[in-house]
């Protein structure tokens, strides 16, 4: 944060000089300052205040507050609790909100300090862990804030507080329970316009730190059809550091999924230690399962159309086969059978006599 402030101040100074040298002399450069872990003899190279204490134990530490500007500044010095923001960033409670965790366990001899131009103050503070403190990680920050008068869009005078801080990582001794609990909702399948192409799925997810150790990790979606058909696995997010009791939320999309009537969706989180001291610790994975109905409507419509075309072709073929062929010749007329003479009485003797007469004649 310090380099950003210095760069901003330098850029502003260049603009003032280019626009009006006289104005640059009249208006002082914006105040810039930094906050870092320190000792009574000066900075000690630490990036954050890292302590492991027992319940009821107290430690004395120092915070270095440096003024990089050309004018003295008056800063308000206080501690606050940290939380994971919606974007996954590390943040502290608003200035007007009282801390209830590690921020309330830190005390200073004075709440306001004056830091002369281009100097540094190494300010002591006490961190006392309550006897009833729960085991695990308690995260906060030490802040040096500057209140400045400004004007809003309506032209009204407002008081703006600019603040710079350093992180506090406190681990209270006791049993550690690292755990990230994933969840998913609002699963929706999206069909592709091309029936020969797979579709996609979107869903909302959340990962809550239900343990007492700050963790980061990897979030994986595993999708498969009935009987494990066409299993698909993809990494959907690299989780930021999630503090105990906080959660991280987002929306994900998984491509290349065929509509197999029912899709089983498993959201799997593989946690990783945020503290280097826990790098060798084995942290179990956890998952959450849901299912999504995705009937293959486009493919079914194409199949039905193909079946209909086949039926039409078969029917047309049969009609052509059943139609008689024109050979150019007329069919022969049937001949009448020769008449037969029979005695209506049915007497065989009479028939023989009649035949004898015809023979004699």
């Amino acid at each position: 944060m310090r380099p950003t402030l210095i760069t901003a101040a330098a850029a502003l100074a260049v603009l003032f000089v280019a626009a009006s040298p006289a104005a640059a002399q009249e208006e002082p450069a914006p105040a810039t300052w930094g906050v870092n872990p320190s000792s009574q003899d000066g900075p000690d190279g630490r990036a954050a205040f890292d302590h492991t204490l027992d319940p009821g134990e107290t430690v004395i530490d120092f915070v270095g507050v440096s003024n990089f500007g050309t004018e003295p500044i008056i800063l308000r010095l206080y501690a606050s609790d940290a939380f994971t923001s919606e974007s996954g960033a590390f943040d502290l409670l608003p200035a007007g909100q009282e801390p209830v965790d590690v921020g309330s366990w830190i005390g200073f001899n004075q709440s306001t300090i004056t830091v002369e131009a281009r100097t540094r103050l190494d300010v002591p503070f006490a961190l006392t862990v309550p006897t009833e403190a729960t085991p695990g990680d308690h995260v906060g920050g030490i802040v040096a804030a500057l209140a400045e008068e400004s004007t809003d869009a309506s032209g009204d005078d407002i008081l703006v507080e600019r603040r710079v801080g350093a992180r506090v990582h406190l681990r209270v001794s006791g049993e550690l329970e690292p755990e990230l609990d994933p969840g998913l909702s609002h699963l929706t399948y999206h069909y592709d316009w091309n029936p020969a192409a797979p579709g996609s799925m979107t869903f909302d997810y959340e990962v809550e730190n239900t343990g007492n150790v700050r963790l980061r990790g990897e979030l994986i979606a595993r999708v498969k059809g009935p009987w494990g058909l066409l299993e698909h696995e993809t990494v959907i997010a690299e989780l930021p550091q999630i503090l105990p009791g906080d959660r991280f939320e987002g929306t994900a999309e998984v491509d290349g999924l065929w509509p197999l009537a029912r899709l089983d969706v498993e959201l799997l989180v593989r946690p990783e230690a945020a503290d280097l001291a826990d790098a060798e610790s084995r942290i179990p994975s956890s998952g959450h399962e849901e299912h999504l109905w995705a009937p293959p409507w486009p493919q079914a419509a194409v199949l039905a159309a193909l079946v209909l075309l086949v039926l039409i072709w078969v029917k047309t073929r049969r009609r052509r086969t059943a139609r008689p062929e024109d050979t150019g010749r007329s069919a022969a007329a049937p001949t009448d059978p020769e008449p037969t003479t029979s005695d209506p009485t049915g007497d065989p003797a009479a028939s023989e006599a009649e035949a004898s007469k015809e023979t004699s004649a």
Side-chain angles (χ1 to χ4, degrees):
M1 187 168 185
R2 183 173 113 185
T4 303
L5 292 172
I6 293 175
T7 303
L12 288 173
V14 171
L15 290 176
F16 289 150
V17 172
S20 173
Q25 294 178 359
E26 293 175 1
E27 297 184 8
T32 57
W33 69 100
V35 176
N36 299 97
S38 188
S39 67
Q40 60 182 354
D41 299 323
D44 52 13
R46 290 179 294 168
F49 297 100
D50 292 292
H51 292 287
T52 299
L53 303 174
D54 297 327
E57 188 176 357
T58 299
V59 64
I60 304 297
D61 208 337
F62 290 82
V63 56
V65 183
S66 302
N67 180 4
F68 304 112
T70 58
E71 299 290 334
I73 53 176
I74 300 176
L75 301 173
R76 185 167 74 95
L77 200 60
Y78 64 93
S80 185
D81 296 337
F83 66 95
T84 305
S85 68
E86 293 183 358
S87 63
F90 179 96
D91 203 353
L92 297 177
L93 298 176
Q97 186 172 346
E98 292 293 328
V100 296
D101 199 65
V102 67
S104 63
W105 305 344
I106 296 175
F108 296 92
N109 291 331
Q110 51 187 1
S111 59
T112 303
I113 59 174
T114 300
V115 187
E116 298 297 330
R118 304 192 183 282
T119 61
R120 185 192 74 250
L121 290 181
D122 297 315
V123 183
F125 65 89
L127 170 56
T128 302
V129 182
T131 56
E132 68 276 8
T134 58
D137 291 340
H138 301 262
V139 185
I142 294 178
V143 178
L146 175 66
E148 297 177 316
E149 293 183 357
S150 183
T151 305
D152 61 11
S154 303
D156 298 327
D157 293 334
I158 58 175
L159 193 64
V160 178
E161 185 179 73
R162 297 165 54 202
R163 59 184 189 173
V164 180
R167 300 188 184 192
V168 176
H169 298 152
L170 169 66
R171 173 162 292 182
V172 178
S173 58
E175 184 178 358
L176 301 180
E177 298 176 353
E179 184 175 1
L180 292 178
D181 185 20
L184 68 160
S185 59
H186 302 102
L187 290 83
T188 305
Y189 185 84
H190 304 278
Y191 295 92
D192 192 274
W193 65 269
N194 182 5
S200 62
M201 176 186 64
T202 57
F203 57 88
D204 296 334
Y205 66 84
E206 64 176 29
V207 180
E208 183 178 2
N209 189 336
T210 55
N212 58 5
V213 178
R214 54 193 177 99
L215 297 170
R216 57 172 55 95
E218 190 176 57
L219 194 61
I220 298 170
R222 185 179 295 161
V223 187
K224 57 186 176 181
W227 306 288
L229 187 64
L230 298 181
E231 184 172 324
H232 184 92
E233 183 175 302
T234 181
V235 178
I236 62 174
E238 295 291 341
L239 298 176
Q241 175 180 263
I242 305 176
L243 304 182
D246 289 348
R247 65 178 59 189
F248 178 71
E249 301 176 347
T251 300
E253 181 177 5
V254 180
D255 299 319
L257 300 178
W258 290 97
L260 301 174
R262 170 179 167 136
L263 296 176
D264 296 322
V265 184
E266 180 183 11
L267 192 63
L268 183 67
V269 59
R270 294 173 180 166
E272 299 175 2
D275 192 339
L276 293 178
D278 302 328
E280 301 300 326
S281 301
R282 187 173 182 179
I283 306 174
S285 301
S286 57
H288 180 86
E289 293 186 7
E290 293 285 349
H291 70 269
L292 171 67
W293 292 105
W297 299 126
Q299 291 76 14
V302 171
L303 180 61
L306 291 176
V307 171
L308 180 61
L309 290 176
V310 171
L311 291 176
I312 294 175
W313 180 83
V314 171
K315 189 173 183 180
T316 303
R317 183 71 176 172
R318 286 179 177 177
R319 286 180 178 178
R320 289 179 180 178
T321 304
R323 184 184 302 168
E325 296 183 357
D326 185 5
T327 61
R329 295 177 301 173
S330 299
T335 57
D336 294 333
E338 294 183 358
T340 57
T341 302
S342 59
D343 185 8
T345 61
D347 186 357
S351 297
E352 292 179 359
E354 185 67 25
S356 298
K357 289 180 180 179
E358 292 180 357
T359 303
S360 299

